[in-house]
Amino acid sequence: VRTLHTRAEYEPATNTVFGTIQDITERENTLAALRASESKLRLLVSNAPVVLFQIGADGRFRMSEGAGLAQLGLRPGEVVGQSAFALYRDYPQIGTQLRTALAGHPVHDSVQVGAHWFEIFYNPMTDATGAVTDIIGLAINITERKRTEAQLRLESAALAAAAHAIAITDARGALEWINPAFTRLTGYTAAEAI
């Protein structure tokens, strides 16, 4: 199937019709593929536990999408037009990150917003002169990872502080870790025992 674009003009003085026919099949196929790709991306972003955002050089949100917004009590597009600096004024770390990105430097960091932790990426977009026009950003909720890391630190500290000797081995029985009580009881340091 071919897609054609036609244009015709009637010249009444000469009773003549002038026209053009242009095959635009390739352009229409490209547009259809672009729409399908955009639809898939929108579906992915709207269902993934992330926040995808765009902030203009003026510091105002131009886009805010993603299922991760719900964790902040927000809906997609709700903050568009608002100042990111004003919205997150209680989080000075975010202001610093934004200023760094608006100065043209990519930022990768983590930040706590309320009860949630986010790994955040800011990527400055520039025009032909190198001036920053926008920041494209991605925030991924890492709250569960932070909780797990804190739990592991607590358990590690408890094992290290235990009064009884504790040794951890691999499946073959080779030592992988010992606590200080093991060293006190056996006289072998971690470097010697492992």
Side-chain angles (χ1 to χ4, degrees):
V1 174
R2 307 299 294 170
T3 304
L4 303 175
H5 177 263
T6 61
R7 183 170 168 253
E9 292 183 22
Y10 173 67
E11 178 59 49
T14 60
N15 197 26
T16 308
V17 175
F18 296 97
T20 59
I21 299 174
Q22 182 181 12
D23 185 343
I24 59 169
T25 305
E26 187 175 325
R27 181 177 78 179
E28 289 298 312
N29 290 343
T30 301
L31 287 173
L34 180 60
R35 282 190 293 272
S37 178
E38 185 178 280
S39 177
K40 289 176 187 173
L41 179 60
R42 192 169 302 281
L43 180 65
L44 174 68
V45 169
S46 65
N47 289 297
V50 300
V51 177
L52 183 63
F53 58 91
Q54 178 181 5
I55 298 172
D58 61 357
R60 296 189 176 280
F61 281 98
R62 293 188 179 173
M63 179 191 64
S64 178
E65 298 290 333
L69 288 166
Q71 295 153 348
L72 297 170
L74 299 169
R75 293 181 316 278
E78 181 178 346
V79 297
V80 170
Q82 294 182 38
S83 166
F85 291 101
L87 186 64
Y88 294 107
R89 69 179 153 272
D90 295 335
Y91 302 95
Q93 183 181 0
I94 293 176
T96 300
Q97 294 166 344
L98 286 169
R99 282 187 288 282
T100 301
L102 287 169
H105 307 286
V107 175
H108 174 213
D109 204 353
S110 61
V111 64
Q112 185 174 8
V113 179
H116 299 282
W117 278 92
F118 291 89
E119 183 171 12
I120 193 158
F121 301 84
Y122 298 91
N123 291 296
M125 306 302 291
T126 57
D127 63 16
T129 68
V132 174
T133 57
D134 296 283
I135 299 168
I136 300 295
L138 174 69
I140 303 165
N141 189 320
I142 58 168
T143 305
E144 192 56 40
R145 183 176 88 192
K146 287 286 193 178
R147 284 186 191 132
T148 301
E149 289 171 354
Q151 183 65 31
L152 287 172
R153 282 191 300 275
L154 177 65
E155 291 170 4
S156 179
L159 287 172
H164 299 289
I166 299 174
I168 298 176
T169 65
D170 64 15
R172 295 173 309 190
L175 284 173
E176 291 188 341
W177 181 87
I178 61 170
N179 71 344
F182 181 96
T183 300
R184 284 192 303 275
L185 180 68
T186 67
Y188 291 105
T189 66
E192 296 167 329
I194 297 177

